[in-house]
Amino acid sequence: MSDLERLVRPDLRGRTAYGAPQLDVAVALNVNESSYAVPADVVEDMVSAVRAVAPSLNRYPDREFTKLRTALAEYLSRSGTPVSPGQVWAGNGSNEVLLHVLQAFGGPDRVALGFTPAYSMHPVITATTGTRWVDGHRHAWDAAAPFDVTVAEAVAQVRDVAPNVVFLCSPNNPTGTALSLDLVTAVYDAAPDAVVVVDEAYAEFARAGTPSALTVLGGHPRLVVTRTMSKAFALAGGRLGYLAADASLIDILRLVRMPYHLSAPTQAIALAALRHTDEMLATVDVIREQRDRLVMELRGLGLVPVPSDANFVLVGGLDDAHRTWQALLGHGILVRDVGIPHHLRVTAGTPEETTAFLGALKEVLA
Ligand SMILES: *Cc1c(COP(=O)(O)O)cnc(C)c1O
């Protein structure tokens, strides 16, 4: 053991850092970013917004990011459930707001439960706060709904673990399916000592009739719904994630955030994007079409895609997923090996990218 390995927290020893490959490829369909660049008029607005704040960068930014919280609350309220600025919290990506939740409600001697396979960062963020992670399980037995979890299955696991934090991911990454609100409220009721987080990073891509957990925030003061501008909003590089919860829960998150954690340029850029909400979200329908096309055409290839409410498709039925991943990379196409045997995850991008991916996959499988 090297000196530093000896010094590092024992629970971090031997861990490897998060690292989806960042490779320079023609077709990057591996981290569920939007394939569509920020439109020129929005770029102009972002640049002038940054120019406007630049002279006062000698001062700290608005610690309460009041304008941004107001704009995010307005955006969430568009779905029909009124959300007030006091119910909104934001950070540098939803990963940071998840970290705030764990810093406040997790910690040593505390337990977080998630139903895997789900977002790989949930256990990682949990571990950084010294919180113990418990792997709950989704079932694989139902061919029509693989990687699903029933209300009864979820409730039994929650009762068994008695967690302090529960992670639900809906639509779920990497499987793509959304959870019912019945499951969300049943888990909430079964975990009286837990903050229940519903990670809705992909909410905007959900199929029609998929309700958001925002609609049940009222009367559930331990419920947290996280969102991000990284996916449907096409702003992964802007690093802006947020959550909605009871205002009193937000007050608790203020205890753990670093002062001034959202830089003035970050706030300005996110606000500029939100001023162009319709334009920023204009590609969501195109991406949904490509997602549904992927499911159809992958089925046509004899593979087993999981129906998706997100901007990606998990596809099973591959003999050797890693070999397929590598061969696709040889064709300049980067997808994600999420570590589930016989499966790969592919982001829905532009129609041209879908065509390139499907074409290369046919060759690889031949
Ligand atoms: C991509 C993703 C996020 C986004 O993280 P950011 O830090 O906001 O970029 C959050 N949750 C899930 C499930 C994701 O797949």
Side-chain angles (χ1 to χ4, degrees):
M1 204 187 296
S2 78
D3 249 7
L4 284 174
E5 275 170 307
R6 194 172 49 79
L7 297 181
V8 75
R9 263 166 45 188
D11 58 307
L12 295 181
R13 263 177 221 147
R15 285 182 180 268
T16 45
Y18 169 89
Q22 286 195 304
L23 304 174
D24 190 13
V25 291
V27 179
L29 301 175
N30 66 325
V31 286
N32 304 338
E33 299 152 330
S34 173
S35 288
Y36 291 92
V38 177
D41 59 324
V42 185
V43 170
E44 283 314 308
D45 204 9
M46 285 175 176
V47 170
S48 18
V50 171
R51 188 185 302 281
V53 299
S56 40
L57 287 179
N58 58 313
R59 301 290 181 189
Y60 283 112
D62 174 11
R63 186 173 51 215
E64 284 295 319
F65 46 101
T66 309
K67 280 188 194 148
L68 179 55
R69 279 194 293 122
T70 304
L72 290 168
E74 269 167 28
Y75 170 64
L76 290 178
S77 300
R78 279 168 47 137
S79 67
T81 307
V83 175
S84 72
Q87 288 179 278
V88 173
W89 187 246
N92 296 280
S94 52
N95 279 292
E96 188 177 46
V97 298
L98 291 171
L99 177 62
H100 290 162
V101 170
L102 281 153
Q103 285 177 314
F105 297 101
D109 305 323
R110 294 198 162 194
V111 181
L113 170 70
F115 298 92
T116 56
Y119 186 41
S120 62
M121 282 305 293
H122 291 159
V124 173
I125 299 168
T126 296
T128 65
T129 60
T131 311
R132 188 161 66 86
W133 172 263
V134 174
D135 242 345
H137 291 291
R138 291 165 167 268
H139 60 246
W141 48 261
D142 187 345
F147 307 111
D148 217 337
V149 57
T150 66
V151 173
E153 288 168 334
V155 164
Q157 295 179 74
V158 165
R159 289 228 173 93
D160 192 39
V161 175
N164 304 96
V165 178
V166 179
F167 285 98
L168 301 173
C169 193
S170 180
N172 186 48
N173 177 9
T175 60
T177 41
L179 296 169
S180 71
L181 292 185
D182 285 349
L183 186 140
V184 173
T185 52
V187 162
Y188 185 96
D189 292 338
D193 298 324
V195 164
V196 176
V197 177
V198 186
D199 185 333
E200 292 193 350
Y202 301 97
E204 290 92 342
F205 295 107
R207 286 169 286 184
T210 311
S212 162
L214 288 175
T215 57
V216 292
L217 271 183
H220 293 100
R222 297 179 283 109
L223 187 63
V224 170
V225 181
T226 65
R227 296 284 187 98
T228 182
M229 294 183 78
S230 295
K231 307 287 162 59
F233 243 94
L235 204 66
R239 306 307 298 130
L240 201 291
Y242 54 104
L243 60 75
D246 196 83
S248 58
L249 190 147
I250 308 285
D251 276 338
I252 294 171
L253 300 180
R254 287 189 170 87
L255 302 174
V256 296
R257 62 94 179 273
M258 292 297 116
Y260 318 112
H261 67 289
L262 275 184
S263 81
T266 298
Q267 295 184 40
I269 286 171
L271 271 167
L274 284 158
R275 279 195 292 275
H276 297 271
T277 293
D278 291 330
E279 198 179 350
M280 293 299 277
L281 295 178
T283 52
V284 165
D285 284 340
V286 185
I287 293 166
R288 270 206 201 109
E289 273 170 32
Q290 294 311 304
R291 167 196 71 199
D292 296 340
R293 175 185 164 204
L294 279 168
V295 171
M296 246 176 48
E297 298 207 19
L298 288 166
R299 254 185 216 139
L301 293 177
L303 298 172
V304 191
V306 182
S308 171
D309 287 293
N311 67 339
F312 57 82
V313 174
L314 182 72
V315 56
L318 299 162
D319 287 334
D320 182 337
H322 192 73
R323 255 191 39 209
T324 306
W325 180 88
Q326 194 73 52
L328 284 169
L329 189 55
H331 285 74
I333 292 165
L334 183 58
V335 298
R336 189 68 173 273
D337 181 354
V338 289
I340 305 175
H342 310 297
H343 289 72
L344 290 173
R345 192 193 69 194
V346 56
T347 305
T350 65
E352 296 73 24
E353 287 174 324
T354 309
T355 302
F357 162 71
L358 290 168
L361 185 62
K362 269 177 217 157
E363 280 186 40
V364 164
L365 295 177

